[in-house]
Amino acid sequence: MPAVPILAEPFVRIDHSPLWRLHAAWWAERGAAPFATGEVPSLATSNGVAASERAAFYAALVARLTERGSIADDAPLSVLEIGAGDGRFAANFLRALAEGDAAARSLLARTRYLLTDASQRVVDEAAASPRLAPWVSAGVVRPARLALDAAAPAPTDAPLVLVIANYVASAVPAVHLQRHADGSYRTLMVQLSPRTPIPRSLADVDVEPAWEPVALDACCDDPRHAEVIGRLTRGLAEVTLAYPDRYLDFLLRLAPDLAPGGVIVTTDCGHADERALYGHFTPALHTYGGSLTEALHFPVLDAFAAALGWGVARTDEPLDPLHTAILIPSGPDAAVAAAFDAHLDTGRVMALMDTRAAGAYSLDDGEHRRALRCYLRCVAMDPWEPEHRYRVGLAAIADEYYALAIHHLLVGWDEDLERRWDIAFELGRAHALVGEPDAAVTWYRRSVEHAPHPVTWANLAHLLRTLGRDAEAAEAERRAAASAEISGR
Ligand SMILES: C[S@@+](CC[C@H](N)C(=O)[O-])C[C@H]1O[C@@H](n2cnc3c(N)ncnc32)[C@H](O)[C@@H]1O
């Protein structure tokens, strides 16, 4: 990990602090790995349900833009994804079009998908992933580095109709403000003290917060933000707000490049309810791995759109931790708002995530049958996701439904191109338990190719002994001992 020089500094505004340099350095260094390891969660924004809904919204949007004459029939179109991470959303979005009806497939043939991220390594690894590499070779996906603080977005050779921002507005600095009853404002400052001589991650620094007075019109570079913040906080006595000015500045720079009627879709963790602002508090810093995240207050987008005359629609269920908003820089469009209601405000993504969480709790509690029902529902909602198939396999084996486990694990094996889940191990277990030792040996051998775990070698050795394949068994026993020594297990 690169070191970020941090001297004992005086208090600085949190959005200007080296915390954000550590965050950027972490993404630059780690690339797409944190998604595979689960250090950074991404299923909520990149699952097949979310991607299919956005693909259906895209089709409805293109129909509307064609009807109003913004784009020509059959002309190429650009979709821009910012902060694209490991590219799973992109792969699912394109798959939804490819497996859709004739209209979806012809829309896909016109689509140029600009896959961008601030980290060159993230972009390179996403583009090289087995899910996206074929789309890159076919020229449909065009990978490029794009940081939201860059002067201008990537140029496009086809009208830009849709921008996808999944879980990235919360990953760029925001200015933190408190409004007091007398109408004055304070901003959050931090003083960092390195815990180690050369800090390499957010865990290596202590952060001391302090709120200092600030003039509202000196908070943000663009004077329009003061108006937006004024609208949001008017009439409220005590307010604490993380205002995403860097993200909004990027959208302001991007807006002229959008085709008339083009839409920005923001999906992020955050809240939909004004009550989240009430009172004075110092927000906790949320970190995933070495990256920072700040919950997005979605009513900001209403106030921003109102101040600029942009169209806006968003989800507003107060209990949901994940929200989606569309912004239309050229102004409100009732047909596009109706498409938002039909395709993006469905609650299906939250249903998927809640069912998955219920499955995990049930499995932990030993409620295997309930876990199995939950994960089968996840599969029904999101059939392309190998994680759900893997977990169906775990629960079904625990509940002794071996044939069911084998069926779903085999589908999962075909879907899990990155070999993120040790599905081969579970297939080995299921076949062994159902009394098919030869098949079990085959799958355990596949498992150790990707994950040479001592338990897998030991299971393999045991099966090979029972099959009378003693020389292979002895070799597997030797490998079990060696890998146990290396892994310390
Ligand atoms: C939390 S991840 C989300 C990835 C993906 N969109 C998803 O939903 O799983 C945030 C991504 O934003 C990227 N990122 C961070 N700061 C950025 C910036 N200033 N400009 C563009 N991308 C940025 C990171 O490299 C990372 O891939």
Side-chain angles (χ1 to χ4, degrees):
M1 197 68 60
V4 171
I6 298 181
L7 305 173
E9 288 183 357
F11 279 93
V12 287
R13 251 173 57 176
I14 187 165
D15 47 317
H16 295 153
S17 83
L19 291 172
W20 286 101
R21 294 209 299 277
L22 283 163
H23 161 94
W26 190 78
W27 281 116
E29 175 72 14
R30 293 294 310 282
F35 301 105
T37 58
E39 285 163 279
V40 176
S42 69
L43 190 67
T45 41
S46 58
N47 62 75
V49 176
S52 300
E53 289 187 342
R54 279 145 188 78
F57 175 77
Y58 173 47
L61 173 67
V62 169
R64 169 68 183 139
L65 298 191
T66 311
E67 179 194 79
R68 59 179 268 186
S70 298
I71 52 174
D73 271 347
D74 301 330
L77 302 169
S78 296
V79 173
L80 168 67
E81 185 178 357
I82 54 178
D86 66 356
R88 270 208 297 172
F89 172 85
N92 281 333
F93 179 89
L94 295 170
R95 183 171 178 176
L97 293 174
E99 295 187 9
D101 58 13
R105 291 196 301 278
S106 85
L107 179 55
L108 173 61
R110 300 164 62 188
T111 300
R112 317 276 178 271
Y113 195 102
L114 310 173
L115 180 103
T116 70
D117 198 278
S119 159
Q120 185 67 53
R121 186 160 178 189
V122 167
V123 174
D124 291 345
E125 291 178 4
S129 71
R131 272 168 208 283
L132 276 187
W135 293 110
V136 176
S137 307
V140 176
V141 169
R142 301 170 180 203
R145 180 175 180 275
L146 175 63
L148 301 198
D149 39 11
T156 61
D157 56 2
L160 177 58
V161 295
L162 181 67
V163 178
I164 299 283
N166 285 335
Y167 191 3
V168 63
S170 61
V172 290
V175 53
H176 286 255
L177 293 168
Q178 283 184 344
R179 184 186 193 275
H180 285 249
D182 62 2
S184 67
Y185 286 85
R186 289 176 190 215
T187 191
L188 181 59
M189 314 287 284
V190 287
Q191 186 174 44
L192 307 185
S193 324
R195 282 193 200 159
T196 58
I198 307 174
R200 288 173 192 278
S201 86
L202 293 169
D204 293 339
V205 286
D206 286 321
V207 181
E208 190 179 330
W211 291 91
E212 288 189 6
V214 69
L216 183 56
D217 47 12
C219 288
C220 307
D221 291 343
D222 190 311
R224 287 171 286 189
H225 293 310
E227 187 195 334
V228 176
I229 295 165
R231 271 176 193 261
L232 263 171
T233 57
R234 196 164 300 140
L236 302 179
E238 292 190 343
V239 169
T240 303
L241 167 69
Y243 182 79
D245 61 331
R246 311 305 203 285
Y247 178 62
L248 298 175
D249 285 343
F250 173 78
L251 299 189
L252 287 166
R253 288 195 299 277
L254 179 68
D257 289 344
L258 273 172
V263 169
I264 300 151
V265 183
T266 305
T267 300
D268 228 305
C269 55
H271 15 80
D273 193 340
E274 181 189 88
R275 278 175 297 183
L277 303 185
Y278 293 176
H280 286 164
F281 53 91
T282 298
L285 277 182
H286 295 292
T287 55
Y288 286 117
S291 70
L292 282 172
T293 298
E294 298 185 311
L296 190 63
H297 186 63
F298 275 76
V300 164
L301 300 183
D302 299 341
F304 178 75
L308 277 107
W310 291 17
V312 64
R314 66 174 173 86
T315 56
D316 58 5
E317 170 52 53
L319 298 180
D320 285 353
L322 187 77
H323 286 281
T324 294
I326 57 167
L327 289 167
I328 315 171
S330 58
D333 182 327
V336 176
F340 172 84
D341 290 343
H343 300 296
L344 300 184
D345 193 6
T346 66
R348 289 171 62 221
V349 170
M350 279 315 308
L352 173 71
M353 298 311 290
D354 286 343
T355 309
R356 172 178 175 258
Y361 291 129
S362 302
L363 205 55
D364 279 354
D365 288 350
E367 296 273 359
H368 303 137
R369 183 75 50 89
R370 186 188 296 134
L372 181 54
R373 289 198 304 274
C374 290
Y375 288 132
L376 284 169
R377 284 194 195 112
C378 292
V379 164
M381 288 187 260
D382 187 16
W384 303 333
E385 175 52 52
E387 177 185 333
H388 308 319
R389 304 281 182 171
Y390 172 73
R391 298 202 189 281
V392 164
L394 292 183
I397 291 172
D399 210 26
E400 301 182 9
Y401 278 98
Y402 302 124
L404 186 69
I406 290 170
H407 166 75
H408 285 281
L409 289 167
L410 285 172
V411 179
W413 173 262
D414 288 341
E415 290 288 349
D416 186 20
L417 303 181
E418 295 94 355
R419 298 285 166 254
R420 201 176 268 195
W421 306 97
D422 197 354
I423 290 176
F425 177 80
E426 299 306 329
L427 276 164
R429 235 161 43 94
H431 280 291
L433 288 164
V434 87
E436 295 170 351
D438 290 307
V441 165
T442 304
W443 283 108
Y444 279 139
R445 284 213 183 280
R446 285 192 184 139
S447 173
V448 289
E449 278 170 28
H450 299 284
H453 194 286
V455 172
T456 320
W457 281 116
N459 287 3
L460 194 51
H462 173 74
L463 281 170
L464 290 165
R465 285 267 176 234
T466 59
L467 289 168
R469 291 156 64 175
D470 288 338
E472 289 172 78
E475 172 61 11
E477 280 155 8
R478 196 187 61 71
R479 298 285 196 107
S483 50
E485 215 164 273
I486 293 167
S487 67
R489 288 183 201 144

